[in-house]
Amino acid sequence: MAAPAVPQRLVQLAAIKNLLNVNALAPRQRLPISPSGLTVIFGENGAGKSGYSRALKQACRARSKSEPILPDARLPKDKTGPAQADFEALIDGAACDLNWTQGKEPPEALSEIAIFDSMCARAYVDNEGDFSYVPYGLDILEGLVKVCGYVKDRASREHAAHAVQGGAFAHIARPETEVGKLLQALSANTSKDRVRQLAQLSEAELQRLATLNRSLAEADPKEKAKALRNRASRLSGLASRIQTASDVVSDAKTRELQKLIDASNVAKQAAELTAKGFIEQPGLLPGTGGDAWKQLFEAARSFAAESHRDHVFPNLGADALCPLCQNALGDDGARRLIDFDAFVQRAVEKTAREARAAAIPPFEAIRGADLNFRMEDSLADESPELNALCSVFHQSLNARKASILQAAASKIEWNSIPAFTENPHQRLLDRKGILEQEADALEKTMDQAARAAMVKEQAELDGRQRLFGVLDAVLEGIDRLGMQKKLKSCIDQTGTTGISRKSTDLSKEMATQEVADALNRELKSLDVDELHVVMKSSSPGGKTQYKLELQLPGGGSPSDILSEGEQRAISIASFLAELSLSKGRGGIVFDDPVSSLDHKRRWKVAQRLAHEALIRQVIVFTHDVAFMSVLQRVAEDAGSLQLIQCIRRSPVGYGTHTPRLPFDTLKTTKRIGELRIQSDLAAQAHKNGDEEGSNRLVKDGYFHLRMAWERAVEEVLLNGAISRFEVGISTKPLQSVVVEDDDYKAIEAGMTKCSYFAHDSAQAAQLPIPHPDEFRADVEALESWRSLVEKRKTAVQTRRKQ
């Protein structure tokens, strides 16, 4: 609700402009308003009047602001935004523009402008027939009570909807396990991290649970344990054989062999380079100095140790026999043997021999190794996966061995040797350990105390495993309990006792006779004086109110007796009473205030608004031509009428301002002016060759010319003594009224001719449509008669006053 009025401050509206996203109103329109007196804004149904009214209600002070302002439904969402408008205002005479945007706090000064429409009427007269007036400000408490009730009801329903669905985990909520205790004590404060931690079992824990399940279910644990230990022993042997085989061709052994062979090759190359000069001596056989030759020479050395015991090889002497060919050596042969030995005994040759000798044992160890370890037949059934792993590793060992031998022979590069596939050694040991653990567990089951401990451990692990299966449900349960806790706190804070107490205290301050007197004055001014307000306050549920009681001999409840029109009159009276008590000077806005009112009470409302317009700005939106006419009449009599505006639908959109009022609201002189404009349009169409358009304008013109004659009879000839929408006849205007024969003839002639073309009669269809000039002449005939009668009325009035 807007702030209360500020005494002595005068806020007046001069125009509403720059409206955007307000229903389907044309954008950037400007609707002028008189800052003082009465401004009547007429718009037919669907013209856009409600858009202006809703913008005013949201920006200014109103009891009800429940109606939303929606953007033009014909526009895409990305082309719209929040509703907004600018208000040209005068604050204590100083002009300023006040911007309002939906969703933001309205300008404070606009709270001086009070709004009344059908929605606000319901805030004064509630929907349950409990007709009451709530002083300004106390309806905040009434609204607060409603909000508390709504919040409590909504929170209670949501609290029930968030009940924990415990059926999903009731089967594991056993009190003897940690999981069961946690679930039984589940609350909004339960740690989700602790729940997740309990629900996550490690591989070792899962294996342990499987072991416990099997062990506790075994019928003959002793024999089963013995069988498991035998299987574990066989797996241990297989693991040992695999490890032994893999050690033969391990990376370390391979690197060692590569290092020795590389060293042997390097030494050999050095020896060959040194022996080049020796080998190139004339008379030597091809291959001399090579590996085969060296072996032959060393064989000769060994044989000479037996055949020439009395000599030290190679100093055998010229007359000795050759150890190889067993012919006499002679001097040349003895010398060569010494030279050959000197060649063999050189350092590089010795290094080459030693390097080769060092590489031979590891090479032979690999070449002679048997890597075909024996598999365990039971492994295929016990663990097909592990059995397959062993088979693949077996193939990997043999492939690796072959590659190492090829690399040693320099047939492939050492880095081409394939790597090991996964070694099953550790897996076999792990499996062995599991079997031994199962055997241990089985043996323990034969001990009652140990078995009881195992059963308890099994229950704990089983509960945690089952918790994992319902983890999402448990976590959701914690969330639900958390939401229920918040909702319960919300429900506990929606009590209305404190509000009722505060409302009663305020009621004592505001429940004055001044309030009752103001209400009774307004009820009387609107002809609802059979009702009066008594000082009877109550605070049901924090709702302070003053009851309206019908003063009828038979008694009765207002809700059973008052008509809809009387209810509307009570609402207007309450609004005006509140206005008079506020001490503010700001303007007031009414949107269709006389809905459901009969013609008599419409006059009362019009008179009351016209009187109020003498002391403050009054703006009335209406679609009711009759009510607008009544307003014009009473405001002219009171001297408070300032401005009549019209809004309509146009090609640019709804709510377009136009200075031209509907024809049937105009006085005779203005009707004649409109008819002259229409005759000019008909003449222009005829001149342009648009015969159809010209005929349409002329025919429509005669329809409105008939209305002008009818208005002239009321206003001009009878001087307003009898008028439509009036509740009675005024005799005072008759002092200037004279009806002569010429008047009758002029009126009869004008009305008769208009009737020919104003209706779709068979006679009219046979007559040609008059020329635009003829239509203009008939309009001027009305004007001439009107002018003549007005002059005569002045003369008659002067004569009769003498």
Side-chain angles (χ1 to χ4, degrees), residues 245 369-374 394 398:
D370 182 6
L371 303 182
N372 296 313
F373 53 81
R374 178 173 54 83
H394 174 261
N398 284 294

Side-chain angles (χ1 to χ4, degrees), residues 228-240 379 382 386 424-440:
L228 289 175
R229 292 195 185 280
N230 288 335
R231 286 163 54 191
S233 177
R234 290 196 297 271
L235 290 181
S236 178
L238 176 59
S240 178
L379 187 60
E382 181 177 333
L386 188 53
H425 177 263
Q426 188 59 47
R427 295 273 295 272
L428 288 167
L429 293 180
D430 292 343
R431 181 63 184 162
K432 171 207 169 208
I434 292 171
L435 293 174
E436 289 176 340
Q437 288 176 4
E438 291 187 9
D440 290 340

Side-chain angles (χ1 to χ4, degrees), residues 65-346:
K65 296 189 177 187
S66 58
E67 286 183 292
I69 298 181
L70 303 177
D72 192 342
R74 300 169 299 179
L75 297 177
K77 290 185 177 181
D78 59 349
K79 299 295 183 182
T80 63
Q84 54 184 296
D86 290 334
F87 295 87
E88 292 182 16
L90 298 173
I91 301 179
D92 292 331
C96 64
D97 277 7
L98 303 175
N99 175 262
W100 165 79
T101 301
Q102 190 174 30
K104 297 182 179 180
E105 190 70 22
E108 184 273 335
L110 289 178
S111 65
E112 299 284 348
I113 309 297
I115 314 296
F116 180 90
D117 69 353
S118 59
M119 294 298 295
C120 295
R122 299 191 192 112
Y124 290 98
V125 181
D126 66 35
N127 294 329
E128 301 169 356
D130 187 16
F131 306 122
S132 58
Y133 168 71
V134 181
Y136 184 85
L138 289 188
D139 52 349
I140 294 178
L141 299 181
E142 178 184 343
L144 182 57
V145 169
K146 291 180 180 178
V147 169
C148 286
Y150 171 80
V151 171
K152 183 175 183 179
D153 180 66
R154 176 76 178 271
S156 297
R157 283 187 278 112
E158 291 195 19
H159 185 276
H162 280 83
V164 176
Q165 306 299 319
F169 46 83
H171 61 290
I172 59 173
R174 297 181 296 180
E176 65 270 15
T177 66
E178 185 177 1
V179 168
K181 293 175 183 176
L182 180 143
L183 294 179
Q184 287 192 339
L186 200 67
S187 71
N189 298 324
T190 300
S191 169
K192 287 186 175 182
D193 290 339
R194 178 57 181 158
V195 174
R196 294 189 184 97
Q197 183 181 16
L198 281 175
Q200 297 295 329
L201 271 72
S202 65
E203 286 297 325
E205 288 173 324
L206 289 171
Q207 185 59 52
R208 176 61 177 166
L209 177 59
T211 298
L212 290 170
N213 290 337
R214 288 191 295 269
S215 299
L216 293 171
E218 183 59 46
D220 188 353
K222 184 176 181 179
E223 286 299 320
K224 183 68 173 180
K226 182 179 179 180
L228 289 175
R229 292 195 185 280
N230 288 335
R231 286 163 54 191
S233 177
R234 290 196 297 271
L235 290 181
S236 178
L238 176 59
S240 178
R241 293 194 296 275
I242 288 176
Q243 188 61 42
T244 299
S246 64
D247 286 344
V248 172
V249 289
S250 66
D251 289 339
K253 294 290 182 64
T254 302
R255 287 194 297 270
E256 179 186 0
L257 179 60
Q258 180 186 3
K259 181 179 179 181
L260 292 172
I261 290 178
D262 286 346
S264 176
N265 290 336
V266 170
K268 179 180 177 182
Q269 290 173 1
E272 288 175 348
L273 183 63
T274 304
K276 185 176 181 182
F278 169 75
I279 295 172
E280 290 177 353
Q281 291 181 29
L284 297 181
L285 294 174
T288 301
D291 289 341
W293 179 86
K294 289 177 182 177
Q295 291 178 5
L296 180 62
F297 189 79
E298 290 299 328
R301 185 191 303 276
S302 299
F303 180 67
E306 296 181 9
S307 60
H308 299 74
R309 294 178 184 272
D310 298 331
H311 297 81
V312 177
F313 189 85
N315 299 307
L316 301 181
D319 55 348
L321 297 177
C322 175
L324 295 176
C325 67
Q326 297 188 12
N327 290 320
L329 285 173
D331 293 335
D332 186 54
R335 180 179 53 80
R336 281 198 175 189
L337 195 60
I338 293 171
D339 290 342
F340 285 168
D341 183 66
F343 168 72
V344 171
Q345 294 299 328
R346 289 174 185 170

Side-chain angles (χ1 to χ4, degrees), residues 589-786:
V589 181
F590 289 85
D591 183 15
D592 279 332
V594 294
S595 298
S596 305
L597 297 183
D598 58 28
H599 70 284
K600 180 181 177 182
R601 194 157 280 125
R602 288 185 178 204
W603 272 86
K604 293 292 185 181
V605 171
Q607 289 171 340
R608 181 65 184 86
L609 297 184
H611 175 75
E612 191 68 26
L614 294 173
I615 59 176
R616 71 174 73 244
Q617 180 184 42
V618 177
I619 304 165
V620 178
F621 289 87
T622 183
H623 70 281
D624 192 326
V625 172
F627 180 62
M628 184 174 71
S629 299
V630 172
L631 269 177
Q632 285 182 270
R633 176 68 178 270
V634 297
E636 286 175 352
D637 291 344
S640 59
L641 181 65
Q642 294 294 331
L643 184 63
I644 297 179
Q645 299 284 29
C646 182
I647 56 176
R648 62 185 178 88
R649 181 182 180 182
S650 71
V652 298
Y654 295 84
T656 304
H657 169 246
T658 174
R660 298 179 63 181
L661 297 175
F663 192 83
D664 49 1
T665 66
L666 300 177
K667 293 187 175 182
T668 303
T669 53
K670 291 190 176 181
R671 293 188 183 194
I672 291 172
E674 290 293 319
L675 290 170
R676 284 170 172 167
I677 294 173
Q678 187 154 345
S679 72
D680 291 340
L681 294 173
Q684 186 63 44
H686 185 273
K687 182 179 179 180
N688 294 338
D690 184 5
E691 195 68 23
E692 181 179 354
S694 176
N695 288 341
R696 185 177 64 255
L697 288 168
V698 170
K699 187 175 182 179
D700 180 69
Y702 275 106
F703 173 80
H704 287 90
L705 180 57
R706 176 186 173 88
M707 294 174 63
W709 274 107
E710 292 173 348
R711 176 67 176 176
V713 170
E714 297 177 13
E715 175 192 334
V716 179
L717 182 62
L718 300 180
N719 199 31
I722 300 175
S723 297
R724 277 174 287 189
F725 313 124
E726 293 279 0
V727 294
I729 297 175
S730 300
T731 58
K732 187 175 180 181
L734 292 176
Q735 66 179 341
S736 60
V737 174
V738 172
V739 180
E740 299 183 349
D741 292 347
D742 289 341
D743 297 326
Y744 167 75
K745 292 177 182 178
I747 295 169
E748 176 67 16
M751 290 289 288
T752 300
K753 185 171 184 180
C754 289
S755 297
Y756 287 147
F757 306 105
H759 305 292
D760 291 330
S761 63
Q763 182 179 10
Q766 298 175 5
L767 297 175
I769 301 297
H771 190 278
D773 291 344
E774 183 179 348
F775 170 62
R776 180 58 174 263
D778 291 334
V779 172
E780 296 302 330
L782 171 60
E783 170 58 20
S784 298
W785 175 81
R786 185 203 65 79

Side-chain angles (χ1 to χ4, degrees), residues 515-585:
V515 176
D517 291 344
L519 281 167
N520 288 327
R521 281 196 304 271
E522 295 299 341
L523 290 171
K524 185 175 182 179
S525 71
L526 297 180
D527 199 25
V528 200
D529 51 348
E530 68 271 19
L531 294 175
H532 76 273
V533 179
V534 295
M535 297 299 297
K536 184 179 180 180
S537 66
S538 61
S539 298
K543 182 180 176 183
T544 300
Q545 55 193 21
Y546 306 102
K547 303 295 292 185
L548 297 176
E549 294 186 353
L550 262 176
Q551 300 299 305
L552 294 176
S557 169
S559 60
D560 298 328
I561 297 173
L562 293 180
S563 67
E564 186 177 350
E566 288 172 318
Q567 294 176 33
R568 173 54 67 93
I570 293 170
S571 300
I572 296 174
S574 300
F575 175 80
L576 293 172
E578 180 178 285
L579 189 71
S580 65
L581 294 172
S582 70
K583 309 303 182 184
R585 301 166 61 198

